[in-house]
Amino acid sequence: MSEQQAPSNPLTRFITDDENCWTLEQYQTHGGYDGLKKALTMTSPDVLETIKQSGLRGRGGAGFPTGLKWSFVPQGDDAPSPKYMIVNADEMEPGAFKDRWLLEKSPHQILEGLIVGGFTLQADIGYVFIRGDYYLAIERIEKAIQECYDAGLLGKNIQGSGFDYDIHIHTSAGRYICGEETALINSLEGKRANPRAKPPFPQVAGLWGKPTIVNNVETFCNLPHIINFGPDWFKGLGRCKDAGTKIFGVSGRVKTPGLWELPMGTPIRELIEVHGGGMCDGYKLKGYLPGGGSTDFLTEEHLDTPMDYDEIGKVRSRMGTGTIIVLDDKYCPIEMVINLVKFFAQESCGWCTPCREGLPWGVEILEKIEQGRGEMCDIEQLEALTRFAAPGNTFCALAPGAVEPLQSALNYYRDDFIKHIEQGCCPYEAGEHNHD
Amino acid sequence: MTDKVTIHIDGVAHEVQAGINLLQACLNLQIDMPYFCWHPAMGSAGSCRQCAVMHYQNAEDTRGRLVMSCMTPVMDGMIVSMANEKAVGFRATAIEAIMTNHPHDCPVCEEGGDCHLQDMTLISGHIKRQYPGTKRTHLNQQLGPFLNHEMNRCIGCYRCVRFYKDYCGGDDFNVFSSRNRIYFGRAESGTLENEFAGNLAEVCPTGVFTDKPFSLKFSRKWDLATSPTVCTNCSVGCNTYTAERGGVLRKINNRHNADVNAHFLCDRGRYGYEHVNHNDRLEKPWKRNNEQQKVEVLNASSAAKQVTDWFSQGDTVAVGSARSALENNAALLKLAGKGNFYAGVTDVELEQLNLLTQAAHNLSLLSLTNIEKCDALLMVGEDVTHTAPRLALAIRQMTRNAGLDKAAKFGIKPWQDEAVRNIAQDTRSPFYALNTHATRLADVAKQNIYLPPARQLSLLLEVEALLSFPDDKDIASKEAVAIAEDLLAAKKPALVTGTNGANPQILAACIRISTLLAQKNENSGFYCATGQANTMALGILSDSNQGLDALIKRLEDKAPKTLIVMETDLYRYFSDDVLDTLLDKVTNIVVLDQLLTRTAQMADLVLPTTSYAESHGCWINAEGRLQQSFATMAAIKARLPAVQWLQSLSGCHTNEQVLAWCAQTYSELAPVQQLLETSGSDFVIARQPLRSTGRTAINAGIDVKEYPPAQDLGSQLEFSMEGVPAFRQHQLKEFTSPPTGVWSPKWNSSQGINKQLESNDSSNNNGILLFANKTTDASSNLETDKSAISSDGLSICPNHHIYADDELATYSTSIQQLIPTATATMCQAQADSLGVKNGEPVAFKGKGHSLELPCAIMPDVCEGVVLVPMQQFRQLGNKATLTTAVRSAS
Amino acid sequence: MPELIQPNKNKPGQHPIIPTNETVELSESEIKQINDALHHVPFASGASIDALKIIQQHRGWVSDACLKALSDHMKVSTADLDAVATFYNLIFRQPVGKVVLHPCDGISCDLMGGKKIRKCLSKKLGIGNGQTTADDQFTLIPLPCLGACDKAPVMIASEKLFELMDENSVANILKDLSSKAGDKS
């Protein structure tokens, strides 16, 4: 095991300009698989304890503490078998592009995390559930898995530890709802990706009725480093209560859109103005979705909010995937909401009423307003629909996520709605340009 | 018996059954909780979100949390509010959202007036449509003769697919596409293959799936007169509602009997009623006048007098019927005398019935509900999907028990349907299907064993031996060991067989095994599907060896002067070659029947009888459950129940008198006394629903005059809307007959039954079990004839078919469309050894009859067996032989 | 709401009256790949999605006849297979062109002019969403967020990601794809 300086950018230090930075060879020269090798010298409960202590929270959007989630998996000789460990790489959240980056540039980091996870819970089979449109990522993950088998990092008796583990890849047939862990499990079972009723939670009865863990790509990436450098190091990385780093991103009309690994708690202003380079010339900031398409709008006044789960929650939005979508002053906010709600309506699995019928209803009203046919009572109807699809009212989190941008737009951009209705047309240039 | 918990709904404390969900609890409490996706037999799905209520953590919690009552188990001390403003608002938006794409075509929709969606829309308070968009549309599919498909009406509750695919195991129906474009149907147009598809008409909360034959003679629910009836299409005795208008039977609906069919019927039962409306129905007494070569029409009294005259000349032989009520058979038997009464079934079937009735007191004969609760089951000798279809559906549910147990370990309740299925995956309770060929339950069987009857018997003997000596495994086959182990390990093992395989040896072995099992485990049980609706009554009434084969012998030996044949078509059992000459020897042939059968055509005197829909009567099902069926409509023309045609000869003028005679004469029928004692209250009961308008317009299409309603002297039921309406009947203890329909205030659709399930469970209307009391009667000889196991020749076995086998059901045009072509079915190896190819003729001989059938090669038929359709098998008898020159495939 | 038409979307209702009588046989390599997929799952139905994707990889789309052939091979009913096939965006139940163009219609692309790009594609090819050009070269199926938001607007076609598109680059990209499609056929 190579002794090395504890890094401040554990996830992205493997990502270099080198075309081959994704290979096993390159990965290992930067200390890749050290975390796994260290984990294999520990006992599984110790590894789990380390993960718990690190304070790692799921990076997929909900931010659930990873160690706690994993501790529900039954352990011991009479635990059901096989157990499954799944990387959710079905990135499809509007405005989220961080997982693709990790998948393409550092597939071994994900696999290492998946193997460490497998060892932690004594799982038997790992799956990479990857978005079908991510062709390059699929190719690299496939090659990386083969490299692992060739190097004795997968298969029987990994590195002489007595631990057996296989990893399969499943390329998704395309459905946003597959990002929901139980829908993903149904999809892996070759079924329609409807979310499942909970209980039972996947940790006790998931894939094929067996204990199953599903976590996001970025979550798994953190595991080897937590083992390698210890939970205290990990906790120390954050600029706030939340531990570790986070891949943040900014898209929209900013000068330098992109992705950066930064400490948890980095303020939004820093992300947009420093890393994103600020707004493009001629454009002003109108607002932004802090964590992808299913989070509430925030505005200028919230720019100094640190990006951490609780702080973002306090200003009534969500950290989500940590990828900010910036709305500029020339793009119609209603148009933006239509795009988002339409997407979620389109991606509804069709199981429960608020999502299946409520979202298209919302789109219908929004388009009516955007096209200048709106009435004042439509605003009330939209508000009623956001309450209808509120968290807890639906079978899964898709519809509640879908109405988050809508409900916050109704709050922050109410004037725009009223202007559309009063003027009988869209007052935005781009908006006007966009419909015919 | 069951645990109770207290829940608080809007400040009122209620005691409810523990372990159920809040929705079920509310319905039991008669609370009008709206819902769509839940179904009592299929559990909760949580998809429609219509049953939302506010749930409070404790008395201090004022905020509450919205929960779906169908997904929420009741807990002691639970505080919920249905009236909470947010909950009411949510339910109102939910129904409005559900209705955004619904076409509002109620006036032209056949569900209108009998529509759960209409009821729930009103209950949820949705009146004004605010959705501004256009509605999505779908193209419909042709789904075969039973169901219409109108997808535009779909509200996406998923009940149809959960019923068809999950509950019935059908694999040709599913949900397609996604979001608000979900589509329920087949991959492409075509007849729905599952035998229970017709239930979709009732399962669907709106008019996506509607009853197709009903469409041809449609009437609104409020214009239908309905009575509680018992299905006469097989021996299960499912409870049905038969509905009529203007003397035409319009449709059959399920009638909930918690012990028999509960919520579902098979398609033979649902659609096999058209014989009642058939053109071949006999209308008037006919007398053959041979001198003048013509048929005379008699009036009722001269027809009855003619029978009396002939009877008084002596030497009369009578044939009873397996498709006629107990009263008719008993009256006929009483007048003819036991020695002259022949049961309208084959000798072999009668032999089996006698085995069964004699052993029945010592076996616990299971109800279908009890079969569903079993945890290991061996099905022997026939595919009950074709002979007693509803039983097969119960067996399918039985296989789920191991999965339910597994889920229970995770704290999951049986009604948490999806969670149970996800945990259970393919975990199934052991079910073995031992038959000559693949059954329709093959997909859920632990093992499907295909053997010729002789080898089935030897396997059963091995199982029998293993039950007594479980350690003697080395002398038995693998299959026998597995079966015996599972039966012995089970908490509630069951053996299911039938008389339709026409093999008394196998039945005897099954009875012995069940008796052994019963000695080891008092929770074990037995079910033997019998031939027709009232075969069991014949089994109780008639002497052994007095079947139709015996009748033929008697006719051959010395033809009687008078032969009275009641509701049995002898030509179904014997070929023309045999019967024509024999019947010619009889001087006076009297046929009592509903329809102009081949036998009726040979009669000297034809007396038209009523169908089950026009007469009251008792039916004894395969488990010895005696159930009363009530006439739906008054008999018209000169039709009379056989009891009444025969009244002067039998001395019994009413059903009650016949039943009283039965109770005195037959120890098995002694419990019938209960019926006679409980009947008689001052109330009359309405068959028609209470109508506020158009009260007398019901016959306006026929005649402007208003005629008095027909009188029903045989029951408390009125052929009108006078009397206590259906929805009040179940609330009044005075009523001993089941309600005449399902109506509940605000619940016009038949799903109102779901508010009455708790009272139905403990209802007295579930029938009288004739074999409930254990006796110590010595049972008959059940020894296996050793020659039966050694026969190693070719076996000709019956190939049952749900739509082909029942005489009356085949009068339905919908059912006729699904009758397969008759073939001699065998496996490839068998065909090779016989030297026949697919489609080539195979010739058979038996009972003085010969016939040819084209060869059909099917996988999953055992070698050594050739299957012929039941109808042909009956005519050939079970000693049939192959006359095709066997060309050995060298 | 205007339909976002994708080839699989309206499938079940589309040809409901006339069942197909066509039959096809699966190729050896298809069968081999499908059997590999079946190897990984405890029940045949578990490999449904993989098998459908294998068929599509070989044939561009999944016809009714293919569905039947697959059903026979896997012992999973056509209804069950089609229930899955019609659920997912990337399984095509109607024929598509040699190249399927997936311009991104996610919000990040739209903020950067994605709508203009899609309109431009549509105009140049003379087809709407879900449609195929007369010469069977191109099918236009917009997909939601393709995960390259920093390079918006983007499009995927022939397994390749096209970044930072503008109206000028559309013509070149189409030309390029068109010649590649020509090579394939």
Short mmCIF file of all heavy atoms in Angstrom, two decimals, chain A residues 375-420:
data_model
loop_
_atom_site.label_atom_id
_atom_site.label_comp_id
_atom_site.label_asym_id
_atom_site.label_seq_id
_atom_site.Cartn_x
_atom_site.Cartn_y
_atom_site.Cartn_z
N GLU A 375 -55.70 32.20 -17.47
CA GLU A 375 -56.62 32.98 -16.65
C GLU A 375 -56.05 33.00 -15.24
O GLU A 375 -55.28 32.12 -14.88
CB GLU A 375 -58.01 32.31 -16.62
CG GLU A 375 -58.66 32.17 -17.99
CD GLU A 375 -59.73 31.09 -17.97
OE1 GLU A 375 -60.84 31.37 -17.53
OE2 GLU A 375 -59.41 29.94 -18.37
N MET A 376 -56.48 33.97 -14.46
CA MET A 376 -55.94 34.08 -13.11
C MET A 376 -56.20 32.82 -12.27
O MET A 376 -55.38 32.42 -11.47
CB MET A 376 -56.52 35.30 -12.40
CG MET A 376 -55.90 36.61 -12.87
SD MET A 376 -54.11 36.65 -12.69
CE MET A 376 -53.72 38.20 -13.51
N CYS A 377 -57.36 32.20 -12.51
CA CYS A 377 -57.68 31.01 -11.72
C CYS A 377 -56.73 29.85 -12.03
O CYS A 377 -56.61 28.91 -11.25
CB CYS A 377 -59.13 30.58 -11.94
SG CYS A 377 -59.48 30.12 -13.63
N ASP A 378 -56.02 29.95 -13.14
CA ASP A 378 -55.06 28.89 -13.47
C ASP A 378 -53.94 28.82 -12.44
O ASP A 378 -53.40 27.75 -12.17
CB ASP A 378 -54.47 29.13 -14.86
CG ASP A 378 -55.47 28.83 -15.97
OD1 ASP A 378 -56.41 28.06 -15.70
OD2 ASP A 378 -55.33 29.39 -17.07
N ILE A 379 -53.58 29.99 -11.91
CA ILE A 379 -52.52 30.01 -10.91
C ILE A 379 -52.94 29.22 -9.68
O ILE A 379 -52.18 28.42 -9.15
CB ILE A 379 -52.14 31.47 -10.55
CG1 ILE A 379 -51.57 32.16 -11.80
CG2 ILE A 379 -51.15 31.51 -9.40
CD1 ILE A 379 -51.16 33.60 -11.58
N GLU A 380 -54.19 29.44 -9.27
CA GLU A 380 -54.70 28.68 -8.11
C GLU A 380 -54.72 27.18 -8.42
O GLU A 380 -54.37 26.36 -7.58
CB GLU A 380 -56.14 29.09 -7.79
CG GLU A 380 -56.23 30.37 -7.00
CD GLU A 380 -57.63 30.96 -7.09
OE1 GLU A 380 -58.61 30.17 -6.96
OE2 GLU A 380 -57.73 32.17 -7.33
N GLN A 381 -55.13 26.87 -9.64
CA GLN A 381 -55.19 25.45 -10.02
C GLN A 381 -53.80 24.83 -9.98
O GLN A 381 -53.62 23.70 -9.52
CB GLN A 381 -55.80 25.33 -11.42
CG GLN A 381 -56.10 23.92 -11.86
CD GLN A 381 -57.22 23.29 -11.03
OE1 GLN A 381 -58.26 23.87 -10.81
NE2 GLN A 381 -56.96 22.09 -10.53
N LEU A 382 -52.80 25.60 -10.43
CA LEU A 382 -51.42 25.10 -10.40
C LEU A 382 -50.98 24.89 -8.96
O LEU A 382 -50.34 23.88 -8.62
CB LEU A 382 -50.47 26.07 -11.11
CG LEU A 382 -50.51 26.06 -12.63
CD1 LEU A 382 -49.67 27.20 -13.19
CD2 LEU A 382 -50.02 24.71 -13.19
N GLU A 383 -51.34 25.82 -8.11
CA GLU A 383 -50.98 25.67 -6.70
C GLU A 383 -51.64 24.43 -6.10
O GLU A 383 -51.03 23.69 -5.34
CB GLU A 383 -51.37 26.92 -5.92
CG GLU A 383 -50.36 28.05 -6.13
CD GLU A 383 -50.80 29.38 -5.56
OE1 GLU A 383 -52.03 29.58 -5.38
OE2 GLU A 383 -49.93 30.23 -5.33
N ALA A 384 -52.89 24.22 -6.48
CA ALA A 384 -53.59 23.03 -5.99
C ALA A 384 -52.88 21.77 -6.46
O ALA A 384 -52.74 20.79 -5.71
CB ALA A 384 -55.04 23.04 -6.48
N LEU A 385 -52.40 21.79 -7.69
CA LEU A 385 -51.72 20.61 -8.22
C LEU A 385 -50.39 20.37 -7.50
O LEU A 385 -49.99 19.22 -7.29
CB LEU A 385 -51.49 20.75 -9.72
CG LEU A 385 -52.73 20.53 -10.59
CD1 LEU A 385 -52.44 20.86 -12.05
CD2 LEU A 385 -53.24 19.10 -10.46
N THR A 386 -49.70 21.46 -7.12
CA THR A 386 -48.45 21.25 -6.38
C THR A 386 -48.73 20.63 -5.02
O THR A 386 -47.97 19.80 -4.55
CB THR A 386 -47.65 22.55 -6.21
OG1 THR A 386 -48.42 23.47 -5.44
CG2 THR A 386 -47.27 23.17 -7.53
N ARG A 387 -49.85 21.03 -4.42
CA ARG A 387 -50.22 20.41 -3.13
C ARG A 387 -50.62 18.95 -3.33
O ARG A 387 -50.32 18.08 -2.53
CB ARG A 387 -51.37 21.17 -2.48
CG ARG A 387 -50.98 22.54 -1.93
CD ARG A 387 -52.07 23.09 -1.03
NE ARG A 387 -53.34 23.30 -1.74
CZ ARG A 387 -53.66 24.42 -2.39
NH1 ARG A 387 -52.81 25.43 -2.41
NH2 ARG A 387 -54.81 24.53 -3.01
N PHE A 388 -51.29 18.71 -4.45
CA PHE A 388 -51.76 17.36 -4.76
C PHE A 388 -50.60 16.38 -4.86
O PHE A 388 -50.66 15.26 -4.38
CB PHE A 388 -52.53 17.43 -6.09
CG PHE A 388 -53.13 16.13 -6.56
CD1 PHE A 388 -53.83 15.30 -5.69
CD2 PHE A 388 -53.03 15.75 -7.89
CE1 PHE A 388 -54.40 14.12 -6.13
CE2 PHE A 388 -53.60 14.57 -8.34
CZ PHE A 388 -54.28 13.76 -7.46
N ALA A 389 -49.51 16.86 -5.49
CA ALA A 389 -48.37 15.96 -5.71
C ALA A 389 -47.28 16.16 -4.66
O ALA A 389 -46.13 15.83 -4.89
CB ALA A 389 -47.81 16.20 -7.12
N ALA A 390 -47.67 16.68 -3.51
CA ALA A 390 -46.69 16.94 -2.46
C ALA A 390 -46.10 15.64 -1.91
O ALA A 390 -46.70 14.57 -2.07
CB ALA A 390 -47.35 17.73 -1.34
N PRO A 391 -44.93 15.73 -1.26
CA PRO A 391 -44.31 14.52 -0.70
C PRO A 391 -45.29 13.78 0.23
O PRO A 391 -46.02 14.41 0.98
CB PRO A 391 -43.13 15.07 0.11
CG PRO A 391 -42.82 16.38 -0.50
CD PRO A 391 -44.11 16.92 -1.02
N GLY A 392 -45.30 12.48 0.12
CA GLY A 392 -46.18 11.68 0.95
C GLY A 392 -47.50 11.35 0.25
O GLY A 392 -48.17 10.39 0.59
N ASN A 393 -47.87 12.18 -0.72
CA ASN A 393 -49.14 11.96 -1.39
C ASN A 393 -49.01 10.99 -2.56
O ASN A 393 -50.01 10.56 -3.12
CB ASN A 393 -49.70 13.27 -1.93
CG ASN A 393 -50.03 14.23 -0.81
OD1 ASN A 393 -49.86 13.90 0.36
ND2 ASN A 393 -50.50 15.41 -1.16
N THR A 394 -47.78 10.73 -2.95
CA THR A 394 -47.56 9.91 -4.14
C THR A 394 -46.82 8.64 -3.77
O THR A 394 -46.36 8.49 -2.63
CB THR A 394 -46.72 10.69 -5.17
OG1 THR A 394 -45.53 11.13 -4.51
CG2 THR A 394 -47.48 11.89 -5.70
N PHE A 395 -46.72 7.75 -4.73
CA PHE A 395 -46.11 6.45 -4.45
C PHE A 395 -44.60 6.56 -4.31
O PHE A 395 -43.98 5.84 -3.56
CB PHE A 395 -46.47 5.48 -5.57
CG PHE A 395 -46.37 4.04 -5.17
CD1 PHE A 395 -47.40 3.43 -4.48
CD2 PHE A 395 -45.23 3.30 -5.46
CE1 PHE A 395 -47.31 2.11 -4.10
CE2 PHE A 395 -45.13 1.98 -5.08
CZ PHE A 395 -46.17 1.38 -4.39
N CYS A 396 -43.99 7.49 -5.07
CA CYS A 396 -42.54 7.69 -4.96
C CYS A 396 -42.25 9.17 -5.02
O CYS A 396 -43.15 9.99 -5.00
CB CYS A 396 -41.79 6.92 -6.05
SG CYS A 396 -41.82 7.74 -7.66
N ALA A 397 -40.99 9.53 -5.13
CA ALA A 397 -40.60 10.94 -5.03
C ALA A 397 -40.61 11.65 -6.37
O ALA A 397 -40.28 12.83 -6.43
CB ALA A 397 -39.22 11.04 -4.38
N LEU A 398 -41.00 10.99 -7.45
CA LEU A 398 -40.91 11.64 -8.76
C LEU A 398 -41.81 12.88 -8.85
O LEU A 398 -41.34 13.98 -9.15
CB LEU A 398 -41.24 10.66 -9.89
CG LEU A 398 -40.95 11.18 -11.31
CD1 LEU A 398 -40.49 10.06 -12.22
CD2 LEU A 398 -42.10 11.92 -11.95
N ALA A 399 -43.09 12.69 -8.57
CA ALA A 399 -44.01 13.82 -8.72
C ALA A 399 -43.72 14.95 -7.72
O ALA A 399 -43.74 16.12 -8.11
CB ALA A 399 -45.45 13.35 -8.62
N PRO A 400 -43.43 14.64 -6.46
CA PRO A 400 -43.05 15.73 -5.55
C PRO A 400 -41.85 16.50 -6.06
O PRO A 400 -41.81 17.74 -5.96
CB PRO A 400 -42.72 15.00 -4.24
CG PRO A 400 -43.52 13.75 -4.30
CD PRO A 400 -43.54 13.36 -5.74
N GLY A 401 -40.88 15.81 -6.65
CA GLY A 401 -39.72 16.49 -7.23
C GLY A 401 -40.14 17.34 -8.41
O GLY A 401 -39.66 18.46 -8.59
N ALA A 402 -41.06 16.81 -9.19
CA ALA A 402 -41.49 17.52 -10.40
C ALA A 402 -42.15 18.85 -10.06
O ALA A 402 -42.01 19.82 -10.80
CB ALA A 402 -42.46 16.64 -11.19
N VAL A 403 -42.89 18.90 -8.95
CA VAL A 403 -43.60 20.14 -8.65
C VAL A 403 -42.75 21.12 -7.85
O VAL A 403 -43.17 22.25 -7.62
CB VAL A 403 -44.95 19.89 -7.94
CG1 VAL A 403 -45.89 19.15 -8.87
CG2 VAL A 403 -44.78 19.16 -6.62
N GLU A 404 -41.54 20.71 -7.45
CA GLU A 404 -40.69 21.64 -6.71
C GLU A 404 -40.35 22.89 -7.53
O GLU A 404 -40.56 24.01 -7.06
CB GLU A 404 -39.44 20.93 -6.19
CG GLU A 404 -39.74 20.15 -4.92
CD GLU A 404 -38.54 19.43 -4.32
OE1 GLU A 404 -37.40 19.87 -4.54
OE2 GLU A 404 -38.76 18.41 -3.65
N PRO A 405 -39.83 22.73 -8.77
CA PRO A 405 -39.58 23.95 -9.54
C PRO A 405 -40.86 24.74 -9.80
O PRO A 405 -40.83 25.97 -9.83
CB PRO A 405 -38.96 23.45 -10.85
CG PRO A 405 -39.17 21.99 -10.88
CD PRO A 405 -39.36 21.53 -9.48
N LEU A 406 -41.97 24.05 -9.96
CA LEU A 406 -43.24 24.74 -10.24
C LEU A 406 -43.69 25.57 -9.05
O LEU A 406 -44.03 26.74 -9.17
CB LEU A 406 -44.31 23.72 -10.65
CG LEU A 406 -45.74 24.23 -10.79
CD1 LEU A 406 -45.82 25.35 -11.82
CD2 LEU A 406 -46.70 23.10 -11.17
N GLN A 407 -43.65 24.94 -7.86
CA GLN A 407 -44.17 25.67 -6.70
C GLN A 407 -43.28 26.87 -6.36
O GLN A 407 -43.78 27.92 -5.99
CB GLN A 407 -44.33 24.74 -5.49
CG GLN A 407 -43.02 24.24 -4.87
CD GLN A 407 -43.22 23.08 -3.92
OE1 GLN A 407 -44.27 22.43 -3.94
NE2 GLN A 407 -42.22 22.81 -3.11
N SER A 408 -41.96 26.70 -6.56
CA SER A 408 -41.08 27.83 -6.25
C SER A 408 -41.16 28.90 -7.34
O SER A 408 -41.05 30.09 -7.06
CB SER A 408 -39.64 27.36 -6.07
OG SER A 408 -39.27 26.50 -7.12
N ALA A 409 -41.40 28.49 -8.57
CA ALA A 409 -41.58 29.48 -9.64
C ALA A 409 -42.84 30.30 -9.38
O ALA A 409 -42.86 31.51 -9.58
CB ALA A 409 -41.68 28.78 -10.99
N LEU A 410 -43.88 29.62 -8.90
CA LEU A 410 -45.12 30.34 -8.58
C LEU A 410 -44.86 31.34 -7.46
O LEU A 410 -45.52 32.37 -7.36
CB LEU A 410 -46.21 29.35 -8.14
CG LEU A 410 -46.88 28.55 -9.25
CD1 LEU A 410 -47.69 27.40 -8.67
CD2 LEU A 410 -47.77 29.45 -10.11
N ASN A 411 -43.88 31.06 -6.63
CA ASN A 411 -43.53 31.94 -5.53
C ASN A 411 -42.65 33.10 -6.01
O ASN A 411 -43.00 34.26 -5.87
CB ASN A 411 -42.85 31.10 -4.44
CG ASN A 411 -42.46 31.93 -3.24
OD1 ASN A 411 -43.02 33.01 -3.03
ND2 ASN A 411 -41.50 31.44 -2.46
N TYR A 412 -41.52 32.74 -6.63
CA TYR A 412 -40.55 33.78 -6.98
C TYR A 412 -40.89 34.52 -8.26
O TYR A 412 -40.49 35.65 -8.45
CB TYR A 412 -39.15 33.17 -7.11
CG TYR A 412 -38.62 32.61 -5.80
CD1 TYR A 412 -38.28 31.26 -5.68
CD2 TYR A 412 -38.47 33.44 -4.69
CE1 TYR A 412 -37.81 30.75 -4.49
CE2 TYR A 412 -37.99 32.93 -3.48
CZ TYR A 412 -37.66 31.59 -3.39
OH TYR A 412 -37.20 31.09 -2.22
N TYR A 413 -41.54 33.84 -9.18
CA TYR A 413 -41.79 34.46 -10.49
C TYR A 413 -43.28 34.67 -10.72
O TYR A 413 -43.75 34.62 -11.85
CB TYR A 413 -41.17 33.61 -11.61
CG TYR A 413 -39.74 33.27 -11.34
CD1 TYR A 413 -39.29 31.96 -11.31
CD2 TYR A 413 -38.81 34.28 -11.06
CE1 TYR A 413 -37.97 31.65 -11.01
CE2 TYR A 413 -37.49 33.99 -10.76
CZ TYR A 413 -37.08 32.68 -10.74
OH TYR A 413 -35.78 32.39 -10.43
N ARG A 414 -43.99 34.90 -9.65
CA ARG A 414 -45.44 35.09 -9.77
C ARG A 414 -45.76 36.24 -10.73
O ARG A 414 -46.72 36.16 -11.50
CB ARG A 414 -46.03 35.36 -8.38
CG ARG A 414 -47.50 35.05 -8.33
CD ARG A 414 -48.03 35.19 -6.91
NE ARG A 414 -49.40 34.70 -6.83
CZ ARG A 414 -49.73 33.45 -6.58
NH1 ARG A 414 -48.79 32.54 -6.40
NH2 ARG A 414 -50.99 33.07 -6.53
N ASP A 415 -44.95 37.30 -10.66
CA ASP A 415 -45.17 38.45 -11.56
C ASP A 415 -45.14 38.01 -13.02
O ASP A 415 -45.89 38.51 -13.85
CB ASP A 415 -44.09 39.51 -11.35
CG ASP A 415 -44.27 40.21 -10.01
OD1 ASP A 415 -45.34 39.97 -9.38
OD2 ASP A 415 -43.37 40.96 -9.60
N ASP A 416 -44.23 37.09 -13.30
CA ASP A 416 -44.13 36.62 -14.68
C ASP A 416 -45.41 35.89 -15.10
O ASP A 416 -45.88 36.06 -16.22
CB ASP A 416 -42.93 35.68 -14.84
CG ASP A 416 -41.62 36.44 -14.81
OD1 ASP A 416 -41.36 37.20 -15.75
OD2 ASP A 416 -40.87 36.29 -13.81
N PHE A 417 -45.93 35.08 -14.19
CA PHE A 417 -47.18 34.38 -14.50
C PHE A 417 -48.28 35.41 -14.77
O PHE A 417 -49.01 35.31 -15.75
CB PHE A 417 -47.59 33.48 -13.33
CG PHE A 417 -46.84 32.18 -13.27
CD1 PHE A 417 -45.62 32.08 -12.61
CD2 PHE A 417 -47.35 31.04 -13.87
CE1 PHE A 417 -44.94 30.88 -12.56
CE2 PHE A 417 -46.67 29.83 -13.82
CZ PHE A 417 -45.46 29.76 -13.16
N ILE A 418 -48.37 36.39 -13.87
CA ILE A 418 -49.44 37.38 -14.02
C ILE A 418 -49.26 38.16 -15.32
O ILE A 418 -50.23 38.40 -16.05
CB ILE A 418 -49.45 38.32 -12.78
CG1 ILE A 418 -49.91 37.50 -11.56
CG2 ILE A 418 -50.38 39.51 -12.99
CD1 ILE A 418 -49.74 38.19 -10.23
N LYS A 419 -48.01 38.52 -15.62
CA LYS A 419 -47.76 39.27 -16.86
C LYS A 419 -48.21 38.47 -18.09
O LYS A 419 -48.82 39.00 -19.01
CB LYS A 419 -46.26 39.56 -16.98
CG LYS A 419 -45.95 41.06 -17.07
CD LYS A 419 -44.48 41.29 -17.29
CE LYS A 419 -43.84 41.89 -16.04
NZ LYS A 419 -42.37 41.94 -16.13
N HIS A 420 -47.89 37.18 -18.09
CA HIS A 420 -48.32 36.32 -19.20
C HIS A 420 -49.84 36.38 -19.36
O HIS A 420 -50.35 36.47 -20.48
CB HIS A 420 -47.93 34.85 -18.95
CG HIS A 420 -46.54 34.51 -19.36
ND1 HIS A 420 -45.43 34.87 -18.63
CD2 HIS A 420 -46.06 33.83 -20.44
CE1 HIS A 420 -44.35 34.41 -19.23
NE2 HIS A 420 -44.70 33.77 -20.33
#
